Amino acid sequence: MSGIDNTSITWYADIVKSESKTNSDERCDFLMNALLTRKETAQKLGVSLPTLDRLIARGDLPAVRLGRSVKIHGELLDVWVKENMGKAVVL
């Protein structure tokens, strides 16, 4: 199983660019409102926090560290789920 590929990241960058008609504060709100906590992500996926942490540590699941917290972007999570639908996940 692989993590998010460059195509998915490019796709997401295009979404952000399409928001360029709004001011920078609105773009920042768009990005920050879409960030999920580890707990929210684990609940959404139906997995435990240790399982989620393993996916992040292996680089399979895209995440960003903000200080001591780890956040997962909701739209990238949705893309990751669609890309890995039906694949066996080895933990």
Side-chain angles (χ1 to χ4, degrees):
M1 178 175 70
S2 64
I4 296 294
D5 60 15
N6 288 336
T7 304
S8 298
I9 292 171
T10 302
W11 168 82
Y12 180 70
D14 290 342
I15 288 174
V16 173
K17 286 178 188 174
S18 72
E19 295 288 322
S20 64
K21 294 179 183 174
T22 62
N23 67 40
S24 62
D25 289 339
E26 289 173 347
R27 281 195 306 269
C28 185
D29 288 344
F30 166 76
L31 293 172
M32 292 306 293
N33 290 336
L35 293 176
L36 302 171
T37 64
R38 289 171 47 250
K39 184 177 180 180
E40 291 168 333
T41 303
Q43 288 173 342
K44 193 170 183 177
L45 292 176
V47 299
S48 67
L49 283 174
T51 297
L52 180 70
D53 291 339
R54 282 192 294 273
L55 289 169
I56 293 169
R58 287 193 325 212
D60 289 336
L61 186 62
V64 62
R65 182 171 294 280
L66 300 172
R68 292 191 303 167
S69 66
V70 174
K71 304 289 183 179
I72 298 88
H73 196 282
E75 290 182 23
L76 288 178
L77 177 63
D78 292 341
V79 170
W80 182 83
V81 168
K82 288 176 187 173
E83 287 179 352
N84 292 284
M85 195 71 98
K87 294 180 183 176
V89 177
V90 179
L91 303 173

